[in-house]
Amino acid sequence: MGDNLVVYTGEKNISSWSMRAYLAVAAKNLPFEERTIELRRDKTRQERRRISPTGRVPVLHHGKRVIPDSLAIIEYLEETFPPPQHPALWPKDPDPRAHARWLAATMHSGFMKLRESMSFNLCFLPKPPQPTSEALQEAAEMLSFFQDALDRKTTPGPFLFGAFTAADVMYAPAIVRLTAFRVPTSHAPKTPAYMEAVLSHPPVKRWMDAARALPPRETY
């Protein structure tokens, strides 16, 4: 398909799921257009329902195809723009690929207390509020998952599986949260360098620079 890729996102300092879709397309080194829908103004989801069957962002438009949901977008991109012609979003070998997939799915469906207490928009406040103990427990579990992947890693590179993969895409907004809320990392000694590598990754940095340039939102 020769049609242009269009990624619809929410505000960069609010929509953590949008960040994932943006990073996935950027990781493929594909030209794409980004269109922002302001979630604060689209309270009824009327605007989002016009471009997404779920009424949510992110959503990818590729010609006549419309793909909502960040994990579905990742799988679509990997299938439509496969390696080696395009950078891989999943590790090549079956064992790390299975590991990366369950990590990505765990982020997609879990860590609810962390998400509630460490909401993405709060990361941009001058002083984020104190997270709940349940959120900190989930954050500690997430860091343990990172440590385990980094301990098992057999390929070079600073990320969970060496090169930047869909697992790093899925956890990038959570890493913003862990950093902004100053979550202790002493039980997972390899994680600070990993998280710094993610935050320094050029597409992540582009998103975060733009997010920090927006007015902070305590609520939305």
Side-chain angles (χ1 to χ4, degrees), residues 158-201:
F159 303 109
L160 291 177
F161 299 92
F164 192 79
T165 68
D168 307 296
V169 166
M170 290 298 292
Y171 282 92
I175 287 167
V176 173
R177 292 173 158 110
L178 296 174
T179 306
F181 284 85
R182 301 179 184 275
V183 172
T185 58
S186 55
H187 71 295
K190 290 183 181 177
T191 60
Y194 162 62
M195 293 195 293
E196 180 53 43
V198 171
L199 295 175
S200 302
H201 188 54

Side-chain angles (χ1 to χ4, degrees), residues 21 24-25 58-60 67-78:
V25 182
V59 60
L60 177 70
I67 304 100
D69 191 283
S70 55
L71 206 48
I73 289 168
I74 285 168
E75 295 291 10
Y76 177 78
L77 290 169
E78 187 76 336

Side-chain angles (χ1 to χ4, degrees), residues 39-220:
L39 308 185
R40 292 179 310 112
R41 295 183 183 174
D42 189 35
K43 296 293 189 187
T44 64
R45 298 185 184 270
Q46 188 176 349
E47 201 176 340
R48 278 171 280 177
R49 290 193 190 284
R50 279 202 289 266
I51 51 96
S52 174
T54 63
R56 297 177 183 275
V57 287
V59 60
L60 177 70
H61 285 208
H62 185 210
K64 293 180 180 178
R65 293 178 186 159
V66 177
I67 304 100
D69 191 283
S70 55
L71 206 48
I73 289 168
I74 285 168
E75 295 291 10
Y76 177 78
L77 290 169
E78 187 76 336
E79 189 176 76
T80 310
F81 304 98
Q85 299 94 324
H86 303 275
L89 283 173
W90 296 112
K92 182 180 179 182
D93 293 335
D95 287 350
R97 188 165 66 244
H99 189 179
R101 276 211 160 96
W102 76 249
L103 276 178
T106 300
M107 180 67 252
H108 194 269
S109 61
F111 302 110
M112 295 302 180
K113 298 296 184 184
L114 185 154
R115 292 190 215 176
E116 289 166 16
S117 181
M118 303 184 197
S119 184
F120 195 66
N121 59 296
L122 300 178
C123 296
F124 301 94
L125 299 180
K127 190 177 180 187
Q130 179 64 28
T132 64
S133 59
E134 294 94 340
L136 288 171
Q137 285 171 10
E138 289 190 350
E141 181 181 45
M142 183 183 290
L143 287 163
S144 297
F145 287 162
F146 293 166
Q147 180 71 28
D148 175 54
L150 294 165
D151 282 341
R152 288 205 243 168
K153 185 171 66 171
T154 57
T155 50
F159 303 109
L160 291 177
F161 299 92
F164 192 79
T165 68
D168 307 296
V169 166
M170 290 298 292
Y171 282 92
I175 287 167
V176 173
R177 292 173 158 110
L178 296 174
T179 306
F181 284 85
R182 301 179 184 275
V183 172
T185 58
S186 55
H187 71 295
K190 290 183 181 177
T191 60
Y194 162 62
M195 293 195 293
E196 180 53 43
V198 171
L199 295 175
S200 302
H201 188 54
V204 175
K205 192 170 184 309
R206 282 198 298 274
W207 181 280
M208 291 300 294
D209 287 348
R212 289 193 184 97
L214 297 170
R217 302 293 180 191
E218 198 159 349
T219 58
Y220 63 91

Side-chain angles (χ1 to χ4, degrees), residues 5 24-33 77 81 86-87:
L5 291 165
V25 182
K28 281 290 181 186
N29 290 339
L30 296 165
F32 67 98
E33 180 186 349
L77 290 169
F81 304 98
H86 303 275

